[in-house]
């Protein structure tokens, strides 16, 4: 991490887990275990029905509330969808777009990811833009080409002033929910390449201000090693974010790197 130029972000992704009634006891347990540190933003991206509870109970624990998805449309006949201005009206600060599960199960394209990211930016919400390769793509040595395309597509039409509100999360698909994790060196190599791509588009100063997270099964055991890498500025945490003690350990690892 390089805290001189960019902030550290530890974001949890609850996916389709936890109910609204479970938010308060979770946050209270997490708050008791969380270290007191500066320079690290803690975020919990929760199911839409849990957002009001997370906003209420997360505030005292200094936990920012994030959403797990958003519609690309501003309003209209889109049953079941949630618009960016609705999230903004609630007070949501972050929102995940382009998660591999959305891309796979809902067939979301790179152009749709771009539209969602821009909708969030238009409403003052920071998109956490996910990119990552499959095991087949890695074995065919297509990782960098695939990442290059995803980053450029996601940021199409985003100007430099908006870029500073964007967060990029590298999540190798082969390391999500599988128990497999990229080595710290593998993760750093791709995160460094992401920053290089952004530098090509926007220049050096904007590129060094973007927080790039690692999102492939970061956990309490490997967080410190991953966060020690210069271009990994935090984590997008899945399973470990459902366990207050483990999530607190990851936050503490980020804080140790900030010292």
């Amino acid at each position: 991490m390089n805290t001189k130029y960019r902030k550290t972000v530890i974001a949890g992704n609850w996916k389709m887990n936890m109910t609204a009634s479970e938010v308060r006891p979770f946050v209270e347990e997490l708050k008791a275990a969380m270290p007191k540190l500066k320079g690290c933003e803690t975020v919990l991206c929760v199911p839409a029905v849990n957002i009001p509870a997370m906003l209420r109970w997360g505030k005292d624990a200094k936990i920012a509330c994030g959403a797990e998805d958003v519609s690309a449309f501003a309003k209209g006949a889109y049953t079941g969808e949630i618009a960016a201005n609705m999230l903004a009206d609630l007070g949501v600060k972050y929102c995940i777009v382009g998660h591999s599960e959305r891309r796979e199960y809902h067939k979301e394209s790179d152009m749709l990811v771009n539209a969602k990211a821009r909708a969030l930016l238009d409403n003052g919400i920071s998109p956490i833009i996910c990119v990552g390769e499959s095991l087949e793509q890695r074995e065919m040595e297509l990782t960098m080409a695939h990442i290059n395309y995803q980053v450029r597509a996601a940021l199409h039409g985003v100007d430099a002033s908006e870029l500073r509100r964007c967060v990029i999360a590298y999540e190798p698909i082969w390391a999500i929910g599988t128990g497999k994790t990229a080595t710290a060196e593998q993760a750093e190599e791709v995160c460094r390449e992401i920053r290089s791509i952004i530098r090509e588009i926007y220049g050096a100063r904007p590129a060094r201000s973007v927080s790039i997270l690692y999102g492939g099964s970061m956990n309490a055991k490997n967080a410190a090693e991953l966060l020690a890498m210069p271009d990994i500025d935090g984590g997008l945490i899945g399973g470990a974010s459902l366990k207050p003690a483990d999530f607190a350990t990851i936050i503490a690892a980020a804080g140790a790197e900030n010292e």
Side-chain angles (χ1 to χ4, degrees):
M1 297 187 298
N2 188 331
T3 57
K4 180 179 178 181
Y5 297 113
R6 49 192 177 265
K7 65 183 175 182
T8 303
V9 179
I10 299 296
N13 176 17
W14 278 8
K15 306 188 180 185
M16 198 172 70
N17 293 290
M18 308 288 275
T19 62
S21 61
E22 292 176 294
V23 171
R24 181 180 181 180
F26 178 95
V27 171
E28 288 178 344
E29 185 177 347
L30 176 60
K31 183 180 178 182
M34 278 178 63
K36 294 182 180 180
L37 48 86
K38 296 180 180 180
C40 176
E41 179 144 42
T42 302
V43 185
L44 280 171
C45 297
V46 300
V49 294
N50 293 355
I51 288 173
M54 183 56 68
L55 286 164
R56 179 181 179 184
W57 301 111
K59 184 177 180 181
D60 288 343
K62 296 183 179 179
I63 298 171
C65 181
E68 294 181 5
D69 189 38
V70 68
S71 175
F73 301 101
K75 62 180 179 179
Y78 303 103
T79 302
E81 293 286 272
I82 298 173
N85 71 316
M86 297 175 181
L87 297 177
D89 186 64
L90 287 173
V92 169
K93 190 172 181 181
Y94 290 88
C95 181
I96 300 169
V97 294
H99 192 280
S100 61
E101 291 159 1
R102 298 291 308 180
R103 293 177 187 263
E104 179 181 359
Y105 304 144
H106 300 272
K107 310 305 177 186
E108 294 193 358
S109 67
D110 289 290
M111 297 303 101
L112 180 56
V113 172
N114 171 255
K116 289 185 174 188
R118 293 177 67 176
L120 291 168
L121 290 167
D122 287 344
N123 285 275
I125 299 173
S126 293
I128 300 175
I129 302 167
C130 298
V131 298
E133 83 283 13
S134 66
L135 180 59
E136 182 180 29
Q137 288 167 329
R138 174 163 280 273
E139 290 177 341
M140 293 176 67
E141 299 184 357
L142 294 174
T143 294
M144 298 310 183
H146 183 67
I147 295 295
N148 192 309
Y149 176 81
Q150 285 191 315
V151 171
R152 290 179 183 273
L155 296 178
H156 179 71
V158 175
D159 65 35
S161 64
E162 295 174 314
L163 178 69
R164 60 184 177 81
R165 301 208 313 272
C166 296
V167 176
I168 309 293
Y170 168 53
E171 44 155 27
I173 299 170
W174 49 272
I176 301 172
T178 63
K180 297 180 180 179
T181 308
T183 65
E185 291 73 23
Q186 286 174 321
E188 167 63 16
E189 181 184 27
V190 179
C191 289
R192 184 172 60 245
E193 179 66 13
I194 291 171
R195 200 173 308 283
S196 176
I197 295 163
I198 296 172
R199 186 181 302 113
E200 289 179 11
I201 303 170
Y202 296 97
R205 181 172 293 180
R208 71 187 185 191
S209 69
V210 175
S211 296
I212 300 175
L213 316 184
Y214 175 70
S217 297
M218 182 183 286
N219 55 51
K221 294 182 179 179
N222 62 27
E225 182 182 12
L226 287 162
L227 293 170
M229 296 291 108
D231 285 292
I232 298 178
D233 306 306
L236 180 59
I237 318 300
S241 72
L242 296 166
K243 303 173 183 177
D246 286 1
F247 197 48
T249 298
I250 296 170
I251 296 167
E257 291 300 327
N258 277 327
E259 292 177 354

